[in-house]
Amino acid sequence: MAAVQGGMSDADIETDIKTEPSTDGFGNNNANDGRVLSASPGSGSSTGSNKQTAAVTPEDQQTLLAVLQFLKKNKLIESVEILRREAGLPENSLDPKATESAGAGSGGAAGIVDLEGGDVSSLLSRVTGSSSAGAQAPTKAVAEDQPDVRVVLSAYSQQGDPTLYEVYYSDLKKFIETVLDCHRAELSQVFYPLFVHMYLELVYNNHESEAKAFFEKFSGDQECYYEEDLRVLSGLTKKEHMRGNETLLDFRTSKFVLRISRDSYQLLKRHLQERQNNQIWNIIQEHLYIDIFDGMPRSKSQIDAMSGSLAGEAKREANKTKVYYGLLKEPEIELPLDDEDEEAENEEGKPKKKKPKKDSMGSKSKKQDPNAPSQNRIPLPELKDSDKLDKIMYMKEATKRIRLGSDNLPSVCFYTFLNAYQGLTAVDFTDDSSLIAGGFADSTVRVWSVTPKKLRKVKSAADLNLIDKESDDVLERIMDEKTASESKIMYGHSGPVYGISFSPDRNYLLSSSEDGTVRLWSLLTFTCLVAYKGHNYPVWDTQFSPYGYYFVSGGHDRVARLWATDHYQPLRIFSGHLADITCTRFHPNSNYVATGSSDRTIRVWDVLSGNCVRIFTGHKGPIHSLAFSPNGKFLASGATDGRVLLWDIGHGLMMGELKGHTDTIYSLRFSRDGEILASGSMDNTVRLWDVMKAFDDLETDDFTAATGHIHLQDNSQELLLGTYTTKSTPVIHLHFTRRNLLLAAGAFNP
Amino acid sequence: MSAMAEERRQKHCSVVLPTESMKAMAESVGVGQLQEDSCVALSEEVSYRIKEIAQDALKFMHHGKRRKLTTSDIDNALKLKNVEPLYGFQSQEFIPFRFASGGGRELHFYEEKEVDLSDIINTPLPRVPLDVSLKAHWLSIEGMQPAIPENPPPATKEQQKVESTEPLKVVKPGQEEEGTIQGKGQGTTTPDGKGKEKGLIRLKPRSTHELSVEQQLYYKEITEACVGSCEAKRAEALQSIATDPGLYQMLPRFSTFISEGVRVNVVQNNLALLIYLMRMVKALMDNPTLYLEKYLHELIPAVVTCIVSKQLCLRPDVDNHWALRDFAARLMAQSCKTFSTTTNNIQSRITKTFTKSWLDDKTQWTTRYGCIAGLAELGPDVIKTLIIPRLAIEGARIKAVMEGPVISNIDKIGAEHVQSLLLKHCASVIAKLRSPPDNVEQYRTEYGYLGPMLCSHVMKARTQAALQAQQVNRTTLTITQPRPTLSVSQSGLSGSSGPRTPSIIKVPSSLTLMSPRPGTPSQPSPPATKYIVMATSAGAASTQQVITLSSSQSASPVTSTVPSATSTLQPLVKLEPGSGPGLTASRPLQKYIVVSLPSSASSSLETKSSVLPTSISSSSLDGGMKLERSESPGASTQSPH
C-alpha cells in the first residue's frame, strides 16, 4: 500500500496526449456514449487511464474490468452487459481478471474507482435508457451502498489502543518541535492529515470520548485555514455520521499529498521507526502521499502559499503535462471595401488606419505560436457571415482601444440592479457589451439591452410567411417591432439561477440553476430551446466556449461537464474535484477548461482527452471566480478568503498573490490587453491590479520554475492600482468592453 | 493559532441540542415518555444533521451572493438531502418564532394566529413590489471616483476624524512639492489606494476642499433654500443636509455661512433668518456622516449668540424670540452631549459663560432668559446645582418687575418669560428632590416669590408622573418622548421636555416679514458696515454690542437699542473688557474679541469670494435681504427712529 516514493504508484500518469489522434471524431455529432462514460472512471487525478479510442490499452482494460467487477457485485447485470459489449471485451474476461481488478484497489486508484462506482452506474443507467431521472448521484449512491462505505472505511478497522493515540500524536509533535528549524515547517505539514485520520479512526472504532478528547486537545494546533474542515469534523462523532459524509469520503479516498524534501522525510522516517510508532507510520503509508524532492527544504511561507486545499498540494507530476496555452490563429478576414463604405463618416481616415492594423494582426497570427494547439485540435464551428461581421466590428473597436497601464486606469461604469431584493445571483455581459443578462433567485432570467437598440422577438411563423425573403433587409424584417422593449424576462427554471452566459454570437443564452438543469435560450424568440439535464444537483456555473457551440457546466455533483449545444448529453465529464465545482471557465483557445471548487483547488482540464492537466492549490477557501488572461498564459482565481492568486498555466506555477479584498471575490476580469486585472468582491469594492508588473517581477526567476517552489513577495499594496467602493452593492460581475472600459454589475443591497 | 480561535472551535464541537428540546418535540408529536438515552442519542443525531444542513445552506448563500442566510437556502439544502423543504417559511427578514418559558422549561414555538379572513379581504392590498431595474453610473473616471450621490461619500467620519487629528509630519522643503501632488492625486480615493511610492514621506494630505461645479451648484441651492421664503423647499434642503453623506467637502462653507449669517442677522434683528440658520445647525448635527468637531469654533458662538443675545428681533414685546432661544439652547445642550470631551471642555466652559452673565445684575431679561434656558437644557443635574439655589434671588428680581412700578413693558414680558421658564424646568426636578407633602408655605420660605407657583407646578408634575407610571404599567412599554422634530416651526420650538402642546408658535417664513422693520428696509443694497463686538466683563452691561455704521441715508436703528454702544462714526470698534459669551468664557483673563466686518459690505463679499470658490454668503444673504426688502414696504411706513 505504500505510495511514499515519488510518483511510483501510478505508472500511467503520464498519458501521452500527443499520440492521441486528434481526428478521432470528437466533434462528430453523434457523441460516442462509450467515450463519454469511459471518461468518468479515469477522472481521478492519479489515474490517467481514460483512453477513449476504440483500441483499449491494457490499463484501460484493467479499469474497465474493475468497473465491470463492481457492477457485477452490485447486480447491475444489464449495465455489465452493455459495458462489456461497448468495450468489446469477451464475456469470460471478467472472471480470470477479477482478482487483478480487486488488486487494483491497492493502487492509489482503488478508492477512486470505488467512489466513482456510483457515478459510473448512474451514467450507465442513463445510457441504458432508464434516463437521468433514476440515476443516483455519486455521493448518494455511495452513501446508500453500505458495502462500499465499508470498503472505503475498512482501512480504519485496524486499531491500536485508543488511549495511546494522544501519546502517539504528542510524541510526534514533540519530535517535530525539536527538529531543526529548516525541517520543522515541512514536517509540520504532516500534522493536519495525521490528526484527521487519527480522529476518524477513533470515531470509526466507536471510541467517542477518546475521539472528542483527542479533537479538543489537538484541533487548536492546526493551521487556521483548515478551520472549516475541522468544523465539519467536530460535528462528526459517531460511526453512523461517517456514512454519507462527503468531506470524510474525500479524505479517505484521496490521498493527502505532501511535498517534503528528502532530508526531512528521512528524518521523520527514522524517528518513527526508532519509536516503533506503527500507528502513525501506517497512516502515513496508507493515507498520505508524500512527494519527495531533492534539495533545500521549503520555508514556512512557501509551504503556506501552496497548502490549504482539501487534499494537500498537487503532485508535481500532476502539473507536468504540456498545455498548449497559446491562442489559435485568427481566421483571415478580408475587410470588404464596401463595408467601409457603409460608414461614410470618416472614410478617408479609415482605410489608412485599417491597413497597417490588419497587416500587423495578420503577421502576428501568421507565425504560429509554438504553444498554441493545432488549429483543429478541437473541431470548432465554422464562422458564419454574421460572425465575420462581428469580427470586423471587433477589430474596428480594437483600434480605438485605450491602452491601460498603472498610470492610465480604466473608467468604471457600474450597472446597479435596483429592487432586486437580494435576489440577483448571476450576471453576464455580451462581448460587445450591448446586452446584460441577470439570473435571479426567483428562477427568472432577464435580459436588458444597454444600447438604445431595443430587444425584439422574431415574428410568428404565420407572419414570417408573408415576408419577402429576397429582400436585403430580411433580417430586419423578421423582427416584430411590437415586441420591442428594453428588457425581457424568461421563465423556465424552477430554482435560483446561479450561472449565466451569453453565446459569442449573441443569439443564445445559457443559464444554470439549482434545479439541476442548464437551459439554452434563444435571444431571437426569447424562449427556452433546450434543457440539458445531467447534473441532477444544483449547477453552480456554466460558460460558453469563446468560439461558441461548446459549453461547460459544473455543480454540486463535483463533476464538470462539457456539452455541445446540439447534444442533449455531455461530451466530456471532468471528474476529480473533491467538492462542489463552483466556477467554470473556458480557455481563450477553447482547448482547455478551468474549474474552481470548494475543495479549494483549481483544475485545468483538456477538452480533447478529458484529462486533468493542472491542479493549482493555495487557496484557503472555496474558489468563486476564475479568469484567463487574454493571451491564454495566465489564470487568475479568487476565493472566499478574499485573495486573488495568479497562475502560470504553462509552468503550472503560482505567480503571485493579491491581497486586499476582505470578502469573497465573485468576479475577475483581465483587461483586453491583459495589463490590468479587475476584481469585484462582496466587500462592495472593485479593485484594479497591475498584473503586468506582477508577471514581470517573477518571470526573471528561472530557479523557481524548475523546482516549483515559489517565493511570493508580499507586494499586493504596490500592485493595487485603485479601490473603488460602491455604496452598498456587492460586485458580482465585471467586464471590459472592447475599448477597455470596465463595466461592473451588482445588486443594490440596502 | 490564537487561543481565541481554539476556544471558538471547541465551542463548535460541543454544541449539541439539549435533550429537553427532544422531549418537547416528542411531546408535540404525541410521544409521551421518551427515555433519557434515546433523548441523548436523538439530540446528537439531530444536532449533527442540522449542522450538515446548515453547511449546505451556507453554500447556497454564497452562490446566491448574499451575506444573509435565508429560509430558502435551508429549503434548498434540504432538497439536496432529498428531504421535503419546510413550506411556509417564506419570510425574508425575520424568523417567526416566539419564546415562552414556564414551569422551568423554555420553548421556542411557531405562533399560529387565528386569521380572520374578512380582515384580510378588507385590508387594502399592499403596494406591488417594484420591478427590478437597471441603473448605470460612473464608479470611477480614469482612476478617480466622482463624488456623485451614487457613490459613497469620499471620506467616512472616521477618515475625517483621522485627517483632522493626525498631526502634520515635518517635511523638508524640497519634498513638500512632491508630497502635495501625491496628496492631491490621492484626493477622493481611499488612502490605501496609493501608498506605494516608496521612500516618500507620507504627508497628511492637505485637505483641499475644492468643490466641483456640481457641489457648488448644490451648495448654492441648499443655502438659498435654507434661508429662502419657501418652507417646503427649506424642509427639503434641511432634509438633504441632515441625510446626505457627501457633504463633508462643503462643511467649512456651511459653517462659515452659518456663523456669518448669525453675525449679520443678529445685528439686523432678523428673527426668521436666525431661526433658519439654527435649523441648519440642527440638520448638520443630525447628519451621521459629518465630523463636526473641526467647525465647532464657528458653530458654537453662533448658537450661543442666538441663546443669549440681548435682542434677536425687532419688536421684543411681540415677536417670539423666546422660542429661538429655547431651540438654540437645546442645540447647545445636544452639542455639549455629543462633542464635549475632557480636552475641549465645552460643557463646563458653556456653563461658566451662562452662569456668569446670569449672575450679573445688569443683564437684560432677554439674556437672562437665554442663560437660564441654556443651563436648564443641560440636564437636571445642572438645574439642581445651579438654578434651584438661585430661585429665591431670581424670584425677588421678578417680583420687583411684576409688582413694582411699570418701568417698561419689555422688562415685564421678559420677567414673565423667565418666571415660566424657571417654573417649567425646576418643577420636575424639585418634584424628584422633595418628598410629596407639598406645603405652599414651605415653598415660599425656601424659594421666595416663586414658591407658591412652584408648589402648584410641582404638584402638577407629580400627578403627571403618576399618570405616566400608570401607563407604563399597563402597556409594559417604555414610552419614549418623540424627538423634537426638525422643523422649528412646529414642536421643535416648544419647551424641552414633557408632553406639551405641539407648538407654542408657528414661525412661518412670513412672520418676520410682517414685523415692522424700522429703518433698515430703506437701506441701499450695500448694507451698512457692521461691527460686532463680542466682549464683556463683569461690569459691562451688554453681552454683545452692535454698532452699525450706516454708510448712507438710513440712521442706524440698531445702535439705539444697544444702550452701551458707542456709536461714533469712527470706523473702529469700542472694546469692552471681559469675557464674552463665546468660547473664551472659561479663561479667567480678560479677553477682547473683536469681530469686525470690513468697512463696506461689498468689499467683504469680494474678499470672501476670493477665499471660497462659491459665492458663499453673498448670494444667499443678499437673497434673504432682498426678500425682506421686497416684502416689507408696508412695514417701512412705520416710522423709523
Side-chain angles (χ1 to χ4, degrees), chain B residues 97-325:
Chain B
F97 287 112
R98 286 221 18 214
F99 175 74
S101 62
R105 303 218 314 198
E106 296 182 332
L107 270 179
H108 290 268
F109 65 94
Y110 181 47
E111 193 180 32
E112 286 173 300
K113 284 186 193 142
E114 263 180 43
V115 179
D116 190 351
L117 278 180
S118 64
D119 278 358
I120 293 179
I121 293 165
N122 291 331
T123 46
L125 286 172
R127 260 190 333 143
V128 178
L130 295 167
D131 198 16
V132 184
S133 62
L134 202 57
K135 187 175 187 298
H137 74 270
W138 289 108
L139 186 66
S140 138
I141 297 170
E142 287 174 0
M144 293 287 288
Q145 192 161 24
I148 47 174
E150 285 88 353
N151 286 330
T156 62
K157 206 168 176 182
E158 286 71 39
Q159 276 174 311
Q160 292 175 38
K161 185 174 178 182
V162 167
E163 197 178 284
S164 63
T165 50
E166 182 184 87
L168 258 179
K169 282 178 187 138
V170 185
V171 273
K172 289 174 200 157
Q175 291 168 318
E176 198 169 17
E177 195 59 24
E178 249 176 317
T180 40
I181 289 167
Q182 195 195 348
K184 230 177 174 178
Q186 206 164 330
T188 52
T189 54
T190 45
D192 57 344
K194 274 197 182 180
K196 48 179 202 162
E197 275 87 352
K198 274 185 219 157
L200 264 181
I201 294 178
R202 282 200 61 198
L203 283 177
K204 169 183 167 181
R206 191 179 285 172
S207 20
T208 48
H209 291 298
E210 276 170 23
L211 297 192
S212 63
V213 179
E214 294 82 8
Q215 281 173 318
Q216 291 181 31
L217 283 173
Y218 172 83
Y219 176 81
K220 188 163 166 277
E221 285 293 319
I222 287 284
T223 46
E224 274 172 15
C226 278
V227 296
S229 61
C230 174
E231 183 59 34
K233 249 183 152 178
R234 182 173 9 264
E236 248 174 73
L238 290 173
Q239 177 71 20
S240 168
I241 295 179
T243 52
D244 249 323
L247 297 181
Y248 136 83
Q249 293 270 318
M250 277 171 268
L251 200 47
R253 269 78 160 185
F254 278 126
S255 145
T256 317
F257 176 80
I258 289 165
S259 74
E260 291 292 313
V262 167
R263 197 170 290 174
V264 170
N265 287 295
V266 158
V267 177
Q268 301 196 334
N269 292 327
N270 193 336
L271 180 63
L273 277 181
L274 287 174
I275 289 174
Y276 301 153
L277 291 169
M278 285 303 107
R279 287 170 73 182
M280 273 180 84
V281 176
K282 170 109 176 81
L284 283 176
M285 282 172 56
D286 284 345
N287 192 322
T289 63
L290 293 178
Y291 179 77
L292 273 185
E293 275 85 337
K294 251 164 118 177
Y295 306 97
L296 289 180
H297 67 283
E298 284 190 307
L299 295 178
I300 287 191
V303 174
V304 173
T305 305
C306 288
I307 302 175
V308 297
S309 178
K310 203 181 303 169
Q311 193 174 4
L312 290 168
C313 53
L314 290 169
R315 294 194 324 182
D317 48 340
V318 181
D319 295 340
N320 193 344
H321 58 96
W322 313 105
L324 171 62
R325 289 175 202 276

Side-chain angles (χ1 to χ4, degrees), chain A residues 77-325:
Chain A
I77 307 298
E78 203 180 336
S79 312
V80 173
E81 280 302 305
I82 289 164
L83 180 59
R84 205 169 43 76
R85 235 180 296 132
E86 291 274 350
L89 291 174
E91 200 158 340
N92 59 353
S93 68
L94 214 51
D95 298 325
K97 301 230 175 169
T99 45
E100 193 195 322
S101 75
S106 63
I112 291 165
V113 169
D114 282 327
L115 175 68
E116 299 303 339
D119 194 15
V120 172
S121 69
S122 76
L123 287 169
L124 278 174
S125 62
R126 191 145 35 79
V127 170
T128 50
S130 61
S131 101
S132 54
Q136 289 292 345
T139 53
K140 291 293 150 321
V142 172
E144 280 145 29
D145 285 351
Q146 189 52 29
D148 277 317
V149 184
R150 213 164 279 153
V151 169
V152 167
L153 299 176
S154 61
Y156 285 139
S157 58
Q158 39 111 350
Q159 55 167 310
D161 187 349
T163 50
L164 286 179
Y165 274 54
E166 282 187 27
V167 180
Y168 291 146
Y169 189 84
S170 40
D171 181 51
L172 183 73
K173 198 173 142 190
K174 217 175 287 161
F175 161 71
I176 290 179
E177 273 165 4
T178 52
V179 93
L180 279 176
D181 276 0
C182 59
H183 300 299
R184 192 187 303 152
E186 285 205 318
L187 292 180
S188 304
Q189 299 177 84
V190 183
F191 280 138
Y192 175 67
L194 263 187
F195 168 80
V196 175
H197 283 293
M198 289 174 86
Y199 176 74
L200 291 179
E201 255 183 47
L202 285 172
V203 172
Y204 185 80
N205 293 315
N206 289 324
H207 303 298
E208 200 181 317
S209 53
E210 283 91 350
K212 239 177 204 164
F214 183 79
F215 188 89
E216 268 169 41
K217 191 158 179 197
F218 299 113
S219 68
D221 300 344
Q222 309 308 327
E223 298 284 354
C224 50
Y225 37 80
Y226 292 122
E227 197 178 331
E228 213 148 294
D229 293 342
L230 289 176
R231 201 179 307 145
V232 175
L233 275 183
S234 71
L236 192 143
T237 50
K238 288 204 183 312
K239 191 176 171 183
E240 294 78 53
H241 294 163
M242 295 172 88
R243 215 180 300 153
N245 187 309
E246 291 155 33
T247 319
L248 179 135
L249 284 170
D250 295 338
F251 227 94
R252 268 299 294 117
T253 53
S254 61
K255 290 200 169 197
F256 198 94
V257 182
L258 301 170
R259 243 186 244 180
I260 292 184
S261 71
R262 190 171 295 282
D263 294 350
S264 306
Y265 176 67
Q266 295 296 350
L267 219 60
L268 177 72
K269 194 173 167 188
R270 210 175 311 132
H271 167 80
L272 291 175
Q273 280 170 351
E274 268 171 24
R275 290 301 186 93
Q276 299 280 307
N277 203 338
N278 285 331
Q279 200 69 32
I280 287 185
W281 186 240
N282 281 342
I283 291 178
I284 290 181
Q285 297 246 305
E286 278 168 34
H287 302 306
L288 308 191
Y289 179 96
I290 298 185
D291 192 358
I292 295 165
F293 62 87
D294 295 305
M296 288 278 291
R298 293 186 296 169
S299 70
K300 175 95 177 112
S301 64
Q302 281 177 320
I303 292 168
D304 277 348
M306 301 299 289
S307 54
S309 110
L310 199 61
E313 295 181 44
K315 292 173 203 166
R316 271 173 303 162
E317 290 73 32
N319 287 338
K320 285 281 190 277
T321 323
K322 178 159 174 58
V323 174
Y324 302 97
Y325 56 80

Side-chain angles (χ1 to χ4, degrees), chain A residues 591-611:
Chain A
N591 279 258
Y592 297 92
V593 163
T595 55
S597 162
S598 306
D599 67 8
R600 308 188 284 274
T601 63
I602 299 150
R603 283 169 187 254
V604 179
W605 311 86
D606 189 342
V607 166
L608 182 67
S609 64
N611 283 340

Side-chain angles (χ1 to χ4, degrees), chain A residues 410-430:
Chain A
S411 300
V412 187
C413 179
F414 203 100
Y415 285 94
T416 311
F417 287 78
L418 300 170
N419 311 319
Y421 308 104
Q422 306 219 357
L424 182 73
T425 44
V427 179
D428 194 32
F429 286 92
T430 52

